[in-house]
Amino acid sequence: MNLGIVTGIPGVGKTTVLGEVEKLSKEKNIEVLIMNYGNYMLNTAINMGFVKDRDEIRKLPLTSQKKLQYEAATNIIHDASKLEDKGIALLDTHAIIKTPSGYWPGLPKHVIEILNPKVIFLIESEPEVILNRQKGDSTRKRADYNDIEVIKESISFARYAAMASAVLVGASVKIIKNEEGTPSKAAEEILNVMIG
Ligand code: ATP
Ligand code: AMP
Ligand code: MG
């Protein structure tokens, strides 16, 4: 199985771009499995009564987040391994998470070694554009990121974190720009890297 990990700060458009990858892969008749790390963590967290929505997960005590993170990684690789050898899987997640205890890696050693991706994608947009996307998206609670300085700092940390994780497994880091109004362009770039 050929896994690409898609990262980027909250509101940059990871889930939107991966929705476009799904459409594009259907048009091109390519089988792609798209998974969302947060969904795996959320299922367990809701069952255990820890949270009511996905934006509460990153505010849990770090010990709880670590357990959820590890369990999610094992479940994700279990599901992805059902794909054939050349099958493409894309995982929607974060290289860095802003928690009350500070910036925390989404892909630490024990997690990235389980996932063993070929590429770590880093979705980026201009800080002001991300701020506007966050403000325009009432479905999510991203108040902890809703500040231009926090966004700029998170973009820097996301780059450091993506490369640090990549070093552990020899993956590449590919920056993909998510331009306003054309998430399908970013989707096409991701798909091309995964096919190539
Ligand atoms: P999170 O990490 O919090 O899950 P995300 O990176 O998955 O965030 P999305 O939910 O995909 O972000 O997008 C955030 C908002 O930005 C949504 O309202 C979405 O419609 C909008 N958006 C994403 N990409 C674009 C784009 N290229 N042009 C215009 N709007 C976009
Ligand atoms: P998302 O919808 O991508 O924001 O995912 C919801 C939440 O899941 C995030 O805000 C994080 O709290 C958590 N999450 C997602 N991926 C990871 C990861 N790799 N490690 C730790 N927490 C994660
Ligand atoms: Mg998302």
Side-chain angles (χ1 to χ4, degrees), residues 84-123:
E84 59 180 75
D85 279 359
K86 285 188 179 164
I88 295 174
L90 287 168
L91 179 59
D92 184 341
T93 188
H94 300 258
I96 202 87
I97 291 113
K98 187 170 172 285
T99 76
S101 317
Y103 287 105
W104 177 59
L107 303 166
K109 189 167 185 281
H110 55 286
V111 169
I112 199 77
E113 284 181 348
I114 293 173
L115 300 172
N116 193 24
K118 174 175 111 168
V119 190
I120 300 178
F121 293 99
L122 185 47
I123 311 270

Side-chain angles (χ1 to χ4, degrees), residues 131-143:
L131 186 64
N132 281 335
R133 286 185 191 151
Q134 291 178 350
K135 283 184 178 158
D137 182 5
S138 59
T139 67
R140 297 290 302 264
K141 295 176 190 143
R142 302 186 183 100

